[in-house]
Amino acid sequence: MTDNAQQQPSAPHTELPTQYAPADVEGPLYERWVERGYFEADAKSDKPAYTVVIPPPNVTGSLHLGHAFEHTLIDALTRRKRMQGFETLWQPGMDHAGIATQNVVERELGKEGKSRHDLGREAFVERVWQWKGESGGQISGQMRRLGDGVAWSRERFTMDEGLSQAVQTIFKRLYDDELIYRAERIINWCPRCLTAISDIEVEYQDDDGELVSMKYGEGDDTIVVATTRAETMLGDTAVAVHPDDERYKHLVGKEIRLPLTDRSIPVVADTHVDPEFGTGAVKVTPAHDPNDFEIGQRHNLPSLTVMDEHAVITAHGPFQGLDRLEARSAIVAALRAEGRIVAEKRPYAHSVGHCSRCKTTIEPRLSMQWWVKVGPLAKAAGDAVRDGRVKIHPQEMEKRYFDWVDNLHDWCISRQLWWGHRIPVWYGPNGEVVCVGPDDEAPTGEGWHQDTDVLDTWFSSGLWPFSTLGWPEQTESLAKFYPNSVLVTGYDILFFWVARMMMFGLYAMDGTPPFHTIALHGMVRDQFGKKMSKSFGNAVNPLDWMDKYGSDALRFTLARGANPGVDVPIGEDWVQGSRNFANKIWNATRFALMNGATVDGPLPEPSAMSATDRWILSRLNSVVAEVDALYEDFQFAKLSDALFHFAWDEVFDWYVELSKTTFQAGGQAAEVSRRVLGEVLDVTLKLLHPVVPFVTETLWTTLTGGESIVVADWPSDSGFRDTAAEREIESLQAVVTEVRRFRADQGLQPGQRVPARLELDGTLFAAHEAAIRQLLRLQPEGEAFSATATLPVAGATVALDLSGTIDVAAERKRLAKDLAAAQKERQQAEAKLGNEAFLAKAPDNVVDKIRGRLTKADEDITRIQAQLGRLPEA
């Protein structure tokens, strides 16, 4: 805990409005924080650094629940570290999102009846920059709504001049180290976006297609192959069989006729072929299939490209000019007419790759592209985790990481786009190839031209942890804030982004990894655990919930569901519950202020405190220690839950209620409790602040008179514990809880007063009788007092006179009826569970349901019998 006498001025105890209105508070508060520079980071500071980068959202994007979730977690971490005295940098920025942004601007041009080719490259890129300035980056405003404590003065964009210099620098270094090369290989091609895309940008799903088995060759030289892409047979340059397959040994080395063409193709033996699958023979199309390409390389087969970039057939003949799907049907029909179709299966469900952005079916295509040789880079990325320089949290995610980096293929980094970092390579008239760094002069003269491709977006975002700090210049920020302390990101981009940052960071920064810890979280799903999607009708705009319930309510709901590496279900009623929690904090603090809660002066000595005061301070210190430990383990759900129950259950529902009696009595005990209540609220608000920043700022500044909770000191565990006081208050709570339960069972209204005699042990009787009577609405016993119910609990006895409040005979009759129903339910459940024939036939879930009914019936019988036992005879 903190010494408030030294830390903050006297509280002004300004009266709070009766209700908390988030819409009136959040916007002005956030602007005040930004104006005062609370979120900025000073590279010259001698404070220890704490750095986190924002996973840069696409410039085309808007805030969705996944962003809100991730940003809430990062903001909570950085707000706490700032309060702990760290020079804290949360680095903001956006990604230029090559394909997505180009698509947006091309659609805008389409509305004008134009294409990018009408403008030309230079004018089109200028148009994209114009769009970015006018419409891009709306997510920044939405981040402010959420309360993101980022260093706005440091905001970066992956196409900024400085970041572009970083991209050119690392490309040149990798090229000079022979880790970047140009080669013709099979790539994933999107006929809609007209660019190559990487393996991890391909989404696979089962589509209903067709499986066609067709006959190649003539007579004894006939062989049957099967395919789901009949149109590619125009580019076949061989049929492959397994070397040990006796069925085809007589054909290996021979040439057979390729139908619908005037070509003959060889039969080759290759161990890639599975002789047990299908006919044991496969068609080989090296220019249109990655496995076939490898076979072609091994057997020196030609690669015939038979489709253009739009997936239109280019092979000479009757199918030229047809779209791939049109050609598929036409080719099957032509083969059928020649009697070469052996079998057709429709529909045939099989896994098909789709472009993750436009959902178009991917076409494997042989293409000249730029590649990163990832072998040594991936090994370094794996070693950094294996030797402990980088921790992955939760640890069980390490296996997924190693499965990826240990099996990486070379990375295709070129994209056939105009928007992005252009590849810094020039070609000369005589076949010269020159890679140009940022300090080099590009070659000029007749016949020289720059490569037309741009780099994969993930190439520039892979530099994010150090390019945003000024690299390749050796800046003060780079020295202060690299490496990052932690990377908080979803497990879904462990491969997209995290592995690339690891590879580039270790390479560019002399073996220093880009972060110490990778904290992986799950995906936000709806309340039933289903993926959120517009097509499912369950997608939620977080701004709607923030407008309705306040940003704090959304943040608290998201944090309370954030178990490491696990998906997060969320429903609107949960956000409403978090709004109720914010209101509870508001109302409790308002009560405290109205009753003189204060942070003035040091805390009284424990000897001057009541057991209630010592209990809450003991519990407070325990919660401080617990929350600190959970933060260090990234257990956001557990720490949020611990704070919720401590604040609502212990502080507001118990300590505040118990304090009412003390405040009414007045005197020195009331003064002590006012100071203790002020301390408890001060610390509790600080503990809550990183997750619910707006309501806590308003309440804390009102309570303490401090400048801002954003820059207040984080609480520390003073070590104070009082187990005796905790046991005493636990006994009090047991008494109150049991009597409340009994009152509810008897149908008494919460405010209805009942005469009672309290027989408590010495401590409870002396210290807490007034509080117990007030909490339970118990009147003193009068002359006509008659104990109609007696409750022994926690070493105390509470005798109640219910004669004037309930009809005992009617209550006994009602309970007897409920008891008979519960006993009948138990008999029926026992009969079914005792029936061997039933158990043998019934599904497990039905049996489990009946066992549950039996358990419930037993619990009801015990409860009702206890209620009857407490009632007097009618």
Side-chain angles (χ1 to χ4, degrees):
M1 292 185 292
T2 55
D3 184 350
N4 293 285
Q6 298 176 16
Q7 180 186 317
Q8 48 213 25
S10 299
H13 289 182
T14 304
E15 186 174 339
L16 289 167
T18 55
Q19 289 185 322
Y20 177 49
D24 298 338
V25 170
E26 293 174 352
L29 262 189
Y30 187 83
E31 291 309 314
R32 191 181 314 150
W33 291 334
V34 173
E35 288 167 7
R36 292 180 178 178
Y38 292 152
F39 305 139
E40 296 303 323
D42 182 5
K44 299 180 185 296
S45 168
D46 58 2
K47 297 178 182 178
Y50 187 82
T51 316
V52 186
V53 294
I54 191 172
N58 286 354
V59 67
T60 58
S62 60
L63 192 74
H64 56 65
L65 270 179
H67 287 126
F69 172 55
E70 186 167 79
H71 291 200
T72 293
L73 305 187
I74 300 174
D75 198 40
L77 290 174
T78 52
R79 283 179 182 270
R80 172 174 173 262
K81 286 296 182 180
R82 191 177 292 112
M83 294 172 76
Q84 287 182 314
F86 286 77
E87 194 62 36
T88 303
L89 170 60
W90 183 9
Q91 173 67 52
M94 287 183 293
D95 191 280
H96 66 278
I99 296 177
T101 306
Q102 180 157 320
N103 284 347
V104 167
V105 178
E106 287 198 79
R107 281 196 298 268
E108 292 296 314
L109 283 174
K111 296 175 185 176
E112 303 170 15
K114 298 178 182 177
S115 74
R116 61 181 163 122
H117 300 285
D118 294 322
L119 272 66
R121 183 169 193 143
E122 214 171 290
F124 176 77
V125 170
E126 183 57 38
R127 179 69 177 261
V128 180
W129 277 109
Q130 180 184 338
W131 175 87
K132 189 258 181 186
E134 294 172 356
S135 307
Q138 62 173 308
I139 203 166
S140 295
Q142 296 165 340
M143 287 166 60
R144 286 173 158 84
R145 283 289 313 276
L146 190 65
D148 288 2
V150 299
W152 286 113
S153 70
R154 292 173 172 266
E155 186 175 13
R156 303 306 298 269
F157 180 54
T158 49
M159 289 286 286
D160 284 350
E161 183 179 349
L163 272 68
S164 295
Q165 182 185 24
V167 168
Q168 196 173 352
T169 299
I170 201 162
F171 186 100
K172 170 70 170 171
R173 292 187 185 179
L174 289 164
Y175 181 87
D176 289 347
D177 287 343
E178 298 183 346
L179 293 172
I180 281 183
Y181 63 94
R182 192 169 185 243
E184 191 175 42
R185 292 188 176 182
I186 290 284
I187 47 91
N188 303 299
W189 181 265
C190 176
R192 157 81 180 56
C193 297
L194 297 180
T195 183
I197 63 173
S198 65
D199 291 343
I200 54 179
E201 293 169 301
V202 179
E203 294 178 348
Y204 288 91
Q205 66 184 47
D206 283 345
D207 287 357
D208 281 340
E210 61 182 2
L211 180 66
V212 178
S213 298
M214 47 198 181
K215 184 168 55 176
Y216 287 7
E218 307 290 347
D220 293 339
D221 293 346
T222 297
I223 195 166
V224 175
V225 297
T227 183
T228 58
R229 299 163 66 217
E231 67 280 8
T232 64
M233 62 87 60
L234 299 175
D236 285 358
T237 57
V239 171
V241 297
H242 194 275
D244 299 331
D245 195 331
E246 293 293 335
R247 293 172 294 176
Y248 303 117
K249 280 201 171 182
H250 69 289
L251 289 176
V252 174
K254 285 188 176 183
E255 292 205 345
I256 59 174
R257 179 176 168 246
L258 179 66
L260 308 183
T261 72
D262 58 359
R263 293 190 291 118
S264 292
I265 58 176
V267 177
V268 299
D270 196 283
T271 55
H272 170 76
V273 179
D274 179 1
E276 302 299 323
F277 184 77
T279 64
V282 296
K283 58 191 286 299
V284 181
T285 321
H288 293 279
D289 183 275
N291 293 321
D292 292 2
F293 177 79
E294 298 296 333
I295 294 175
Q297 292 288 295
R298 288 192 289 272
H299 298 276
N300 296 313
L301 300 174
S303 296
L304 301 182
T305 299
V306 295
M307 273 181 272
D308 67 11
E309 60 185 6
H310 297 280
V312 171
I313 300 298
T314 58
H316 291 298
F319 312 108
Q320 187 174 9
L322 294 180
D323 170 82
R324 56 182 166 170
L325 298 182
E326 295 172 332
R328 183 176 301 170
S329 299
I331 287 171
V332 171
L335 289 168
R336 191 183 300 113
E338 286 192 4
R340 290 187 173 274
I341 297 298
V342 176
E344 297 179 70
K345 185 175 182 181
R346 297 187 187 88
Y348 177 72
H350 62 122
S351 181
V352 177
H354 295 260
C355 174
S356 62
R357 289 175 177 83
C358 71
K359 312 309 177 187
T360 300
T361 299
I362 289 301
E363 191 63 46
R365 186 168 186 257
L366 186 63
S367 180
M368 183 68 75
Q369 301 286 343
W370 285 94
W371 304 81
V372 171
K373 187 183 294 183
V374 299
L377 302 175
K379 182 181 183 305
D383 290 346
V385 174
R386 287 188 171 95
D387 64 24
R389 281 175 289 157
V390 178
K391 305 289 186 187
I392 293 181
H393 191 279
Q395 191 174 4
E396 54 265 29
M397 286 286 183
E398 281 187 3
K399 183 180 183 302
R400 294 182 65 176
Y401 177 79
F402 292 133
D403 285 346
W404 179 256
V405 298
D406 292 346
N407 297 286
L408 268 180
H409 300 295
D410 284 0
W411 170 22
C412 177
I413 55 172
S414 44
R415 298 292 180 267
Q416 290 64 54
L417 304 171
W418 287 357
W419 172 244
H421 296 101
R422 196 163 172 182
I423 288 176
V425 172
W426 271 253
Y427 305 105
N430 299 311
E432 302 95 334
V433 179
V434 176
C435 182
V436 176
D439 299 324
D440 301 331
E441 289 289 333
T444 56
E446 187 176 350
W448 283 93
H449 65 279
Q450 187 177 358
D451 196 298
T452 57
D453 288 352
V454 301
L455 287 163
D456 179 10
T457 297
W458 296 103
F459 190 94
S460 52
S461 58
L463 315 181
W464 193 247
F466 51 94
S467 63
T468 52
L469 298 173
W471 186 90
E473 301 299 323
Q474 297 305 305
T475 63
E476 288 182 323
S477 291
L478 189 63
K480 178 72 175 179
F481 296 113
Y482 187 91
N484 290 189
S485 307
V486 61
L487 174 74
V488 179
T489 192
Y491 62 69
D492 59 322
I493 57 173
L494 181 62
F495 316 130
F496 280 92
W497 189 43
V498 179
R500 282 154 171 69
M501 286 190 291
M502 286 286 284
M503 290 191 296
F504 283 166
L506 289 158
Y507 174 79
M509 299 301 293
D510 300 321
T512 302
F515 18 73
H516 296 302
T517 302
I518 302 167
L520 298 170
H521 59 72
M523 303 296 101
V524 178
R525 297 181 177 272
D526 71 12
Q527 65 199 81
F528 306 108
K530 190 175 182 180
K531 180 180 178 180
M532 285 192 173
S533 165
K534 289 181 181 178
S535 60
F536 294 156
N538 62 350
V540 174
N541 183 346
L543 294 175
D544 293 341
W545 282 353
M546 287 192 278
D547 288 341
K548 195 170 182 180
Y549 303 110
S551 298
D552 284 334
L554 176 62
R555 289 171 60 115
F556 192 73
T557 305
L558 291 166
R560 206 172 175 195
N563 291 296
V566 178
D567 288 347
V568 182
I570 185 172
E572 184 171 1
D573 55 336
W574 303 344
V575 186
Q576 185 175 354
S578 295
R579 188 271 314 273
N580 295 343
F581 180 51
N583 289 341
K584 186 80 169 180
I585 302 169
W586 183 272
N587 293 333
T589 306
R590 186 169 177 272
F591 165 83
L593 291 171
M594 291 171 63
N595 284 275
T598 180
V599 296
D600 292 346
L603 279 170
E605 291 298 319
S607 59
M609 297 179 188
S610 67
T612 307
D613 295 331
R614 297 194 305 277
W615 159 72
I616 197 62
L617 289 176
S618 180
R619 288 292 305 124
L620 181 66
N621 275 286
S622 295
V623 169
V624 169
E626 180 183 7
V627 167
D628 274 334
L630 292 171
Y631 260 116
E632 295 305 314
D633 199 34
F634 305 101
Q635 297 283 355
F636 296 99
K638 290 181 179 178
L639 72 88
S640 298
D641 210 49
L643 286 171
F644 174 86
H645 287 293
F646 174 70
W648 191 307
D649 300 345
E650 298 186 75
V651 178
F652 305 149
D653 279 358
W654 284 105
Y655 185 70
V656 167
E657 291 300 315
L658 290 168
S659 298
K660 290 179 180 178
T661 307
T662 308
F663 294 153
Q664 289 169 0
Q668 184 59 32
E671 291 302 313
V672 170
S673 289
R674 289 187 179 99
R675 179 64 190 88
V676 171
L677 180 54
E679 177 75 8
V680 171
L681 287 174
D682 172 31
V683 174
T684 302
L685 291 171
K686 287 176 180 175
L687 293 174
L688 285 165
H689 172 72
V691 181
V692 285
F694 294 107
V695 69
T696 52
E697 168 80 338
T698 306
L699 296 175
W700 186 86
T701 52
T702 304
L703 171 71
T704 69
E707 177 189 343
S708 172
I709 197 171
V710 176
V711 291
D713 289 342
W714 181 255
S716 58
D717 175 9
S718 70
F720 175 77
R721 300 289 191 278
D722 191 325
T723 54
E726 290 192 34
R727 285 196 299 270
E728 184 174 327
I729 300 305
E730 286 169 5
S731 296
L732 181 154
Q733 291 171 327
V735 171
V736 172
T737 300
E738 184 60 27
V739 176
R740 279 178 173 166
R741 185 180 295 116
F742 176 76
R743 287 178 57 113
D745 287 344
Q746 305 309 314
L748 297 177
Q749 296 299 314
Q752 190 172 353
R753 294 196 168 275
V754 177
R757 177 191 302 132
L758 274 62
E759 298 175 8
L760 309 168
D761 68 23
T763 305
L764 282 178
F765 184 80
H768 304 297
E769 180 173 3
I772 291 172
R773 285 188 177 277
Q774 180 166 311
L775 290 170
L776 292 172
R777 304 294 190 269
L778 301 180
Q779 296 176 188
E781 55 185 298
E783 291 184 5
F785 179 83
S786 174
T788 59
T790 302
L791 306 176
V793 58
T797 302
V798 180
L800 303 172
D801 183 353
L802 305 178
S803 57
T805 57
I806 63 171
D807 184 334
V808 175
E811 184 63 16
R812 277 192 165 278
K813 186 176 181 180
R814 181 186 71 81
L815 289 173
K817 183 178 179 181
D818 290 347
L819 180 62
Q823 289 170 334
K824 182 178 180 181
E825 174 74 2
R826 180 171 66 181
Q827 289 171 356
Q828 291 175 340
E830 285 178 334
K832 286 191 174 182
L833 293 173
N835 185 335
E836 293 297 333
F838 169 78
L839 292 176
K841 294 179 180 179
D844 290 345
N845 64 318
V846 173
V847 176
D848 289 343
K849 187 175 181 180
I850 293 172
R851 288 195 179 110
R853 284 170 51 190
L854 178 61
T855 300
K856 176 70 165 51
D858 285 336
E859 291 171 351
D860 288 344
I861 290 168
T862 301
R863 175 179 55 81
I864 296 167
Q865 287 176 336
Q867 289 177 245
L868 283 166
R870 294 177 186 135
L871 288 174
E873 294 298 325

